[in-house]
Amino acid sequence: MSHKTAVSTCSTACLRPPRGHSAILNSKSRFLSPSTNPPLRDAVVFRNKDNLNTNTRRLRRGIVGPARIGNDSQAADLQPSGGSRVIILECDSILVDIHNSGHRRAFNMAFEEMGYSCSQWSAPIYYDLLRFGDSSGPGLVKTYYEMVGWPIMLSSADRNDFVDKIYATKERIFHEAVRDRDIPLREGVQEFLDDAIKDGVHIVLLTATASAPGEGVAEAVLDILGPDRASKIECLSAVKGDVGQEEDAGEEEALDKDDPMPFDQLLKEATGKGKVQSASSFVRAINLQSRGVGMRVDSTLFATAGAPVSPSYFAAIIAAHGASSASSALVGANNALMESAKGAGLYTAGVPPSLAARGGYTAMDSSYDGFGAGSGLTWRRLKRMQGHPLGVQPEHFRSLLGDENSTRTKGLGSLHVLGDEVLLQILDVLSPEELGQLACVSKAFYCFANHEDVWKGIVLQCDDETQWVYHEMGWKATYVKSILGKKEYSQHGVRVKHMYSDVLYQPWMCARLDIDEAWLETENIDRRSGLSMEEFIAEYESRNKPVILTDVASAWPACRTWDREYLEQVFGDKHVIVGDRPMKFSSYVQYCDRQRDEYPLYLFDKTFCDTVNELKSAYSVPEYFEDDLFSVLGEDARPDYRWLIYGPYKSGSTFHKDPNATSAWNAVIFGKKKWIMYPPDVLPPGVRQSEDGADVSSPVSLMEWMLSFYDLRDCEGFKPLECVLQKGEVLFVPRGWWHMALNVEETCAITQNYVSVRNLKHVLDFLQSPHASVLVSGVATEEEKISLHTRFLNALEEKHPSVLEVLREESRKKRHKSETQDKLVKCFHSTKESQSQQQTSFSFSFL
């Protein structure tokens, strides 16, 4: 699928068009979102195709300015800038559902043991009792029997003894279950921990938040997790005396003195840079000096519940690990704990332990139905959802929070009247040195000048000789470390308050969201096998209708042997085309593993068969598509037509039509691709096209389109065709169809465009259009674009004259049919006029 024409005007991975092309965003081509949706960022404008996702910005070498902040009146959250991550998890309600799987089950077993098996508490009943009772175990039993009625044979005087016996039996059963490790972990927890630990995350287990310290729940959980996991988990207690505290007597005695170190001084040292030991001492001191008993019920059920620990406690935990709150999170089921964690700047993920504990979560940043794929919490999902590194929030949060402050207004001065898109276009002409200086002016400019897409444009517009290696800390770090060659780079140390911007926030959000499983459910494209050539032509190609062929590629050597390891082996450090620029394959694979982009760079290489000769023999053109008339021009003179496509999760191409009115086929070698397709005369929602078809505008990324328009995808009464193309399947893409493709996982595919006899007339008409110099793609120069029609026609006359004769005969028949119809129309009008004259004559004669 050629994209040569698009090189000068397209940047599908960037927030706005590349440097030097701001004028493209004119009133004709700018995307206008429907009133039913929040306004999107600047649209990407491209020519004919949207396979590119690179920025062609020119490199201007310079020294990046210091990352300091001007003297705005706004306060900023100053956090340690280390790269460590800390995840704090509640033990009692997150790793195990201690109420549902522990206490409730023990109560039911106690009732059965005492002969009251009819008194069984379902989860909703149990949580109602927690809400309406006095939170004590005996109180739950009393509340229950006061609601349903006491046993008939039980006198009023014996009720307290009866309750005490039930509760004592329940406690014995519960402690036996804990002792025997008969308390199940929540489903998916172990996988969550394994993924986080593998990623080098510090795991902190906060114990005794919904149980008493002496009940031993934390010890049981660690045993169930196994020694390998337990050795990588740090336990801290919400109250005195729980697991994980192994202070010697001297230290405990010193901490319990009447005149300990002042709290403010201890906290100051704890949060100071490099004061890890002080932070650890602070945490230990709070643990040992805490008073009170563990909360027996989920605190989210009580509006008056107080936080077991303070924001200072969480801040000290983070500081003790040399991390920042921006890179840390609390996973909890206790609203009071989440309030405290948010006070320390942590991201809070709520995972309610059971169906009746859904209410009261006012402090969570996100909520999940358990752990695992689908609607559950995974480590991959959590690490993508932690707060914006600069503290930027979406615009609607300002009104939602009633925030009258505005870092943007005060920090931009008189420039605050400009839209965020305009500001980024202004920044687009600045050098790296100028961006660094601008970041020092104010906190608002700091946010704009450190926007990742700005630095992505700087890196990608380096000249071809500049070799860079993507750094996992982002595009600015890539520029500093890989292009400037600096050994040290400190990530953002500032998180700005009261900074609201959809333009800055949305790329970060889209980069961290996972593909919604609901987007992958619709499958309404025909899947066929064993089609004869005649059937394919009659049912699909002649009708210009897509179809998935399931049996033509699965036997290819490529589908059996190609994977990432194989491609790394054969390509090595050879160059491939990523977007429109050469890049070492080894560097691109490294980028894929490290990238955090909203719209990842996409390998779209037309020279792969020349780069690695053996790849060409690993697949063959399916017989349905062998009739490619562009081949009469020869390999060197024909438009680009064959590509190797490879990219990571969430990479792909936004809506476009294939070039030069050709049809195409796309075969998945490994991975999966989500496709959405609209017929030629139905413009996809969110996409705008100029009158001549030269300019097309679309949302910046695939994820943005899916979030904004997937629910509105039914367009002009047409339901789009959708599928997830699997390994070994081939999709026929008819001429003129709008389509987008989103990689559901790391995916490799091969695609070719072709011209068949059925499509020849449309291609010839396209090539001789008045705007051929703009619309035609896949050839190098404007002269080649203009002359392509003539050269193609002459080559067909020489090598396939019968094909052209068939077209001419069809054209003559259509012209004759049209002339006949015109004569009939004229005859009809003539008859009507004659009748009208007779009626008029009679009428006048009558009068």
Side-chain angles (χ1 to χ4, degrees):
M1 301 181 190
S2 175
H3 53 269
K4 195 72 176 179
T5 306
V7 170
S8 64
T9 57
C10 172
S11 173
T12 64
C14 299
L15 182 64
R16 60 208 179 287
R19 295 185 165 222
H21 300 286
S22 299
I24 295 173
L25 284 175
N26 52 40
S27 58
K28 179 176 71 171
S29 60
R30 184 180 293 274
F31 168 73
L32 301 175
S33 67
S35 59
T36 55
N37 288 279
L40 298 178
R41 296 170 283 135
D42 270 344
V44 170
V45 179
F46 54 91
R47 306 270 183 175
N48 300 327
K49 281 198 62 66
D50 188 26
N51 295 325
L52 296 180
N53 56 354
T54 185
N55 195 321
T56 56
R57 172 176 173 160
R58 183 176 67 258
L59 171 66
R60 300 182 185 180
R61 294 187 179 275
I63 304 300
V64 179
R68 58 184 175 85
I69 297 301
N71 295 320
D72 285 359
S73 59
Q74 260 64 40
D77 293 325
L78 299 177
Q79 303 292 352
S81 58
S84 299
R85 288 179 174 178
V86 177
I87 301 299
I88 304 172
L89 300 101
E90 280 190 68
C91 174
D92 299 342
S93 298
I94 294 300
L95 298 194
V96 293
D97 186 351
I98 198 63
H99 281 297
N100 192 43
S101 301
H103 294 295
R104 183 182 70 87
R105 185 178 65 163
F107 270 116
N108 287 337
M109 293 174 69
F111 286 131
E112 190 167 352
E113 184 175 312
M114 294 186 64
Y116 294 93
S117 56
C118 58
S119 298
Q120 293 291 298
W121 294 350
S122 64
I125 290 175
Y126 180 74
Y127 279 102
D128 279 343
L129 294 175
L130 289 177
R131 289 159 59 193
F132 300 125
D134 64 2
S135 82
S136 68
L140 297 181
V141 180
K142 285 183 179 180
T143 301
Y144 172 72
Y145 281 112
E146 285 171 358
M147 294 173 65
V148 302
W150 292 88
I152 297 175
M153 303 300 294
L154 188 67
S155 65
S156 298
D158 294 332
R159 288 177 180 176
N160 287 337
D161 290 340
F162 172 76
V163 168
D164 290 341
K165 288 180 181 179
I166 290 179
Y167 182 66
T169 304
K170 172 263 171 189
E171 284 288 274
R172 173 179 57 78
I173 294 172
F174 176 78
H175 286 296
E176 288 174 353
V178 172
R179 180 198 65 199
D180 297 338
R181 304 328 191 209
D182 187 22
I183 47 174
L185 297 176
R186 294 184 65 177
E187 186 176 355
V189 159
Q190 296 185 68
E191 290 78 6
F192 176 87
L193 291 173
D194 289 342
D195 291 343
I197 291 171
K198 183 179 179 181
D199 227 4
V201 178
H202 297 289
I203 305 294
V204 176
L205 197 60
L206 197 60
T207 67
T209 59
S211 64
E215 290 176 338
V217 174
E219 291 94 332
V221 168
L222 291 175
D223 276 353
I224 296 171
L225 287 173
D228 289 342
R229 293 191 189 94
S231 66
K232 299 176 178 67
I233 296 174
E234 177 183 355
C235 287
L236 296 175
S237 176
V239 296
K240 180 179 179 180
D242 196 24
V243 69
Q245 308 306 314
E246 298 179 356
E247 284 66 58
D248 56 43
E251 185 175 15
E252 183 170 347
E253 182 179 350
L255 289 170
D256 279 335
K257 286 182 178 179
D258 293 335
D259 190 23
M261 182 184 293
F263 178 86
D264 292 340
Q265 181 182 345
L266 192 58
L267 177 59
K268 183 178 180 180
E269 289 196 21
T271 56
K273 188 175 181 179
K275 299 293 184 179
V276 175
Q277 184 58 46
S278 296
S280 301
S281 299
F282 173 77
V283 172
R284 216 172 353 255
I286 294 295
N287 275 320
L288 292 170
Q289 293 174 5
S290 295
R291 295 293 183 265
V293 296
M295 301 180 70
R296 293 286 184 140
V297 297
D298 190 335
S299 66
T300 60
L301 301 173
F302 302 96
T304 59
V309 295
S310 67
S312 302
Y313 183 86
F314 285 111
I317 293 174
I318 302 307
H321 291 86
S324 70
S325 61
S327 61
S328 304
L330 169 72
V331 181
N334 181 312
N335 199 61
L337 276 178
M338 289 192 283
E339 289 280 7
S340 295
K342 284 185 73 70
L346 274 70
Y347 183 87
T348 55
V351 188
S354 60
L355 63 93
R358 291 294 187 268
Y361 283 89
T362 59
M364 64 183 177
D365 291 310
S366 58
S367 179
Y368 302 90
D369 294 328
F371 291 87
S375 59
L377 178 64
T378 62
W379 165 239
R380 180 176 182 174
R381 185 168 291 164
L382 179 61
K383 73 177 180 179
R384 288 175 176 267
M385 287 305 296
Q386 292 175 42
H388 192 287
L390 301 175
V392 177
Q393 299 184 75
E395 186 65 37
H396 72 275
F397 270 35
R398 182 176 180 181
S399 57
L400 189 67
L401 300 173
D403 193 347
E404 299 299 326
N405 295 312
S406 175
T407 293
R408 186 188 186 282
T409 300
K410 296 180 180 181
L412 297 181
S414 59
L415 293 180
H416 80 275
V417 298
L418 300 177
D420 290 353
E421 299 94 338
V422 176
L423 285 171
L424 287 174
Q425 290 184 28
I426 294 174
L427 266 61
D428 200 36
V429 302
L430 301 182
S431 69
E433 182 181 14
E434 291 166 337
L435 284 171
Q437 293 169 348
L438 185 66
C440 302
V441 174
S442 69
K443 289 192 283 292
F445 276 122
Y446 179 81
C447 292
F448 279 98
N450 280 290
H451 185 49
E452 272 290 275
D453 280 349
V454 173
W455 291 95
K456 183 176 185 178
I458 291 175
V459 173
L460 295 182
Q461 200 159 331
C462 295
D463 54 76
D464 292 349
E465 287 71 34
T466 302
Q467 299 297 326
W468 53 269
V469 176
Y470 182 80
H471 193 278
E472 61 186 2
M473 293 173 71
W475 287 102
K476 184 176 180 181
T478 300
Y479 177 78
V480 173
K481 293 180 72 69
S482 187
I483 295 178
L484 294 186
K486 303 293 183 180
K487 293 183 179 181
E488 300 296 328
Y489 175 77
S490 180
Q491 206 167 16
H492 306 298
V494 175
R495 299 186 77 231
V496 179
K497 289 185 176 180
H498 313 294
M499 184 66 185
Y500 304 99
S501 169
D502 288 341
V503 170
L504 299 182
Y505 182 85
Q506 191 156 316
W508 172 86
M509 180 195 70
C510 288
R512 279 149 183 79
L513 288 176
D514 282 331
I515 295 172
D516 192 330
E517 294 293 329
W519 299 344
L520 311 179
E521 293 175 355
T522 302
E523 295 278 351
N524 57 3
I525 300 179
D526 291 352
R527 274 185 162 85
R528 299 291 298 273
S529 62
L531 275 178
S532 67
M533 178 64 77
E534 293 73 19
E535 288 173 326
F536 171 75
I537 293 172
E539 297 181 35
Y540 298 103
E541 190 179 31
S542 294
R543 296 172 61 188
N544 210 43
K545 178 182 177 182
V547 63
I548 298 170
L549 306 170
T550 62
D551 60 346
V552 298
S554 55
W556 289 350
C559 287
R560 296 196 306 269
T561 61
W562 288 16
D563 54 19
R564 177 198 274 212
E565 184 178 350
Y566 172 80
L567 294 179
E568 287 182 297
Q569 176 185 340
V570 296
F571 278 107
D573 286 337
K574 292 183 176 71
H575 282 83
V576 291
I577 303 301
V578 177
D580 67 326
R581 305 183 65 79
M583 185 176 182
K584 289 182 179 179
F585 185 82
S586 57
S587 297
Y588 178 67
V589 170
Q590 187 181 58
Y591 159 81
C592 291
D593 288 337
R594 296 177 175 180
Q595 60 87 22
R596 302 175 295 175
D597 286 349
E598 171 193 17
Y599 194 10
L601 297 177
Y602 204 21
L603 188 156
F604 215 90
D605 188 53
K606 63 184 179 182
T607 63
F608 70 101
C609 286
D610 298 325
T611 305
V612 181
N613 290 328
E614 65 186 78
L615 298 183
K616 188 173 183 180
S617 61
Y619 79 99
S620 58
V621 177
E623 62 172 326
Y624 309 107
F625 316 116
E626 289 177 340
D627 180 20
D628 185 0
L629 295 176
F630 259 150
S631 62
V632 299
L633 292 170
E635 286 292 310
D636 295 333
R638 68 173 297 168
D640 300 332
Y641 71 103
R642 176 177 59 200
W643 292 267
L644 176 72
I645 309 174
Y646 175 72
Y649 175 70
K650 295 202 304 186
S651 62
S653 57
T654 57
F655 278 106
H656 62 277
K657 291 183 178 182
D658 279 339
N660 305 329
T662 57
S663 297
W665 56 268
N666 188 293
V668 172
I669 306 302
F670 61 82
K672 300 176 183 178
K673 281 180 177 290
K674 168 68 180 183
W675 285 75
I676 302 178
M677 307 180 73
Y678 290 87
D681 57 342
V682 178
L683 197 65
V687 176
R688 298 292 181 267
Q689 186 177 31
S690 61
E691 292 180 6
D692 59 9
D695 291 338
V696 178
S697 61
S698 176
V700 171
S701 73
L702 293 164
M703 287 298 290
E704 183 173 324
W705 190 91
M706 297 298 286
L707 289 168
S708 301
F709 293 103
Y710 186 72
D711 288 342
L712 305 173
R713 62 192 181 280
D714 293 356
C715 191
E716 300 179 19
F718 178 82
K719 290 184 179 296
L721 299 186
E722 302 181 51
C723 73
V724 175
L725 199 63
Q726 306 285 338
K727 174 180 178 179
E729 294 184 330
V730 177
L731 175 65
F732 166 59
V733 184
R735 61 163 178 83
W737 275 68
W738 292 96
H739 56 279
M740 60 152 281
L742 171 63
N743 288 335
V744 179
E745 57 189 46
E746 181 181 14
T747 301
C748 176
I750 293 174
T751 185
Q752 287 192 193
N753 290 72
Y754 74 101
V755 182
S756 70
V757 173
R758 271 73 56 189
N759 196 32
L760 179 58
K761 181 181 183 304
H762 299 282
V763 173
L764 290 172
D765 289 345
F766 183 90
L767 296 181
Q768 66 175 349
S769 68
H771 305 286
S773 62
V774 175
L775 295 176
V776 173
S777 65
V779 292
T781 66
E782 184 173 334
E783 181 181 351
E784 288 179 296
K785 294 177 183 179
I786 296 173
S787 66
L788 182 57
H789 175 267
T790 301
R791 290 188 288 116
F792 186 33
L793 200 61
N794 291 340
L796 287 173
E797 287 278 15
E798 179 183 348
K799 298 179 181 180
H800 295 288
S802 60
V803 172
L804 290 179
E805 185 57 39
V806 170
L807 281 184
R808 293 188 182 105
E809 180 62 28
E810 290 179 354
S811 180
R812 282 193 292 269
K813 289 180 179 179
K814 288 182 179 180
R815 188 164 52 251
H816 175 72
K817 183 178 180 181
S818 177
E819 291 173 353
T820 302
Q821 290 176 340
D822 287 343
K823 290 179 181 179
L824 289 174
V825 170
K826 289 179 181 179
C827 180
F828 175 78
H829 285 305
S830 175
T831 302
K832 293 287 288 185
E833 289 173 1
S834 175
Q835 292 175 351
S836 176
Q837 290 175 359
Q838 291 176 8
Q839 291 173 357
T840 303
S841 175
F842 176 80
S843 177
F844 279 108
S845 175
F846 177 78
L847 290 170

